[in-house]
Amino acid sequence: MSSTYNNSESTALLSSGSSCSRRSRLASCSRGVWAVTAIATLATLAVIAMAWAMLATNDLNGGGGDKGDRRLNSTSVGRFIHITDLHVDPNYKDGATAYSQCHRVPKTSDHSDDSSLTGRFGRPNAKCDSPVALINTTSAYLRRQWSQKVDFVAWTGDSGRHDGDAEFPRTLDEIIEQNAIAAQSLRHAFGSHIPIVPNVGNNDVSPHNELPGPGHKRARRTFRQLAHAWGGLVPDDQLATFHYGGYFARDLADYPQGGGGLTALSVNTMYWYRANAKVGGCKAKDSPGLAQLAWIRWQIRRARERGRDLVILGHVAPNQDNYRPSCYHGYMRTVAQIVPPPGPHSPPIIHAQLFGHSNVDAWAFVGPDADWASPTNNTASDSRLWWERQVDEEEGRFGELIHGVWSEEEQSMRSETTVPDERDWATMEDDSPPVRPAVPGDFVETLLREYERVIMQTPRHPRLGVTTISPSVIPKLLPAFRVFHYLRHTDSAWRHLPPGTLLDYDVYTANLYSHNKKAPPVDGFYQRLYRFSDVYGINDLSVDSYVRWARRLLTSKSMRKRFRALTFLDM
């Protein structure tokens, strides 16, 4: 079957485990930015239900994967979960109309077609957020099936509901409350022994898409209240950094052999996001976006010194449509590790870049394809651009941030951090053209063109990365999440790869079309839709493997058809 999708925003997953009764009135949906606008007809539901029935015997559900299962079940392989875009809505009502954003039950005399009403666990293809029943059941499922099987959890933002119902205008207090529900649900699912790394989404701030720069009273209030709502998920030695800019670092897992391990950088994509009119681009020396790039580069240097590799997680994925131009190019150059390695230390590897926001199941290349500004003043021994040299300096503004805000060693010597005074960030230099209304496009074709461009321009892909976009648990398509398999230490099966390399992933989905009719046992609420290696014949998720797979994808019509179907979880 096929899907029509306008990629303008995302929604996602999460679990909840405790009380969900709420004093406040909550509403759902984004302000006209949701991609799917048509309500599914009864015929469409029947077709999708038939397709799901076919999955039971389909090779996508693990068929042909015995060899892969044996390799991934090795003790050298670890796992982690990526979940994103909760959008929990305690105002959701079973039996409500979709056009009321699932908030109001119709009068019997006005509505006789039950097929267009909401179900207990959510309504796919409708402008509705996640009901509490979906959150609770997801939490219970994760607790039973995954709490003893994963090393950490990446949670990439947007736990606040959308603000699309005029009868229930959203407030920051409600957003904070919904983030607390999400954090409690994850704690219930995974306990306190598994690191959970949260992230700020564009619906975790108020108003939607608006976040002033560091020092502004609204930014300070938002970051402090989010950190409190998340209940200790931001490490104590990173609180000053998070209170300043909404980003932080956390060690995830240690490699059992040879030292080192994985460290997460939870970045605040709101300071690069085009839709955030409260900040400009990354050209100005005091821009929040440039400061965050400086922080990432500093964390790369620290990771090199500590012998650790990195996982970057954020909400809005980096591309030319989402990020301001200077921030996009700055991010590409930074994550492609164009940083001269000092001394004998080898550069750390960024093994994963995990994002949400777009609801779909997708990935994209990221790498330096442009010099953001001239002159570069490069020399034979220093290939950095002007801004890279500036942010790497220990003197001046960024040196003050390193020693006054970002360094946990410095933080241990004082109880409160001084941040820059509030300023009118809206007057900052803005390198973006005026924002135009989104034009519906073919999301998959856009991805394919980008794959082709990268492969043609970078035949040997010397400095490429891959960003992965995980599907959502919010029932915009179907609730879903990913389980990644990664290499904890080398063995005979993986001797050619360094520790930390992503090896494979599984996508799990919940069939709401049947669950709303008859709730299954909790253990069966989510089923594996497919394993990446089984479908595409890929050996691991290294950049080299992605490049080879993209070349095959561009030349195979049947593979592109399957790729399109899986992108929208509709096979």
Side-chain angles (χ1 to χ4, degrees), residues 10-14 82-87 154-159 314-315 355-360 469-474 480-482:
S10 96
T11 355
L13 141 76
L14 208 43
H82 181 191
I83 57 180
T84 189
D85 294 74
L86 172 60
H87 296 296
W155 164 29
T156 52
D158 262 14
S159 295
H315 182 64
F355 295 89
H357 183 69
S358 298
N359 294 317
V360 293
I469 301 171
S470 285
S472 310
V473 159
I474 185 178
F481 64 92
R482 279 181 178 178

Side-chain angles (χ1 to χ4, degrees), residues 496-510:
H496 62 295
L497 298 173
T501 301
L502 299 187
L503 303 175
D504 212 337
Y505 67 76
D506 301 309
V507 173
Y508 286 80
T509 55

Side-chain angles (χ1 to χ4, degrees), residues 320-363:
Q320 295 178 0
D321 293 328
N322 288 338
Y323 286 11
R324 297 177 184 272
S326 57
C327 299
Y328 177 54
H329 297 315
Y331 179 82
M332 288 193 297
R333 286 187 64 90
T334 296
V335 300
Q337 300 170 103
I338 306 180
V339 182
H345 303 289
S346 61
I349 297 174
I350 298 175
H351 284 295
Q353 299 176 58
L354 311 171
F355 295 89
H357 183 69
S358 298
N359 294 317
V360 293
D361 179 13
W363 63 271

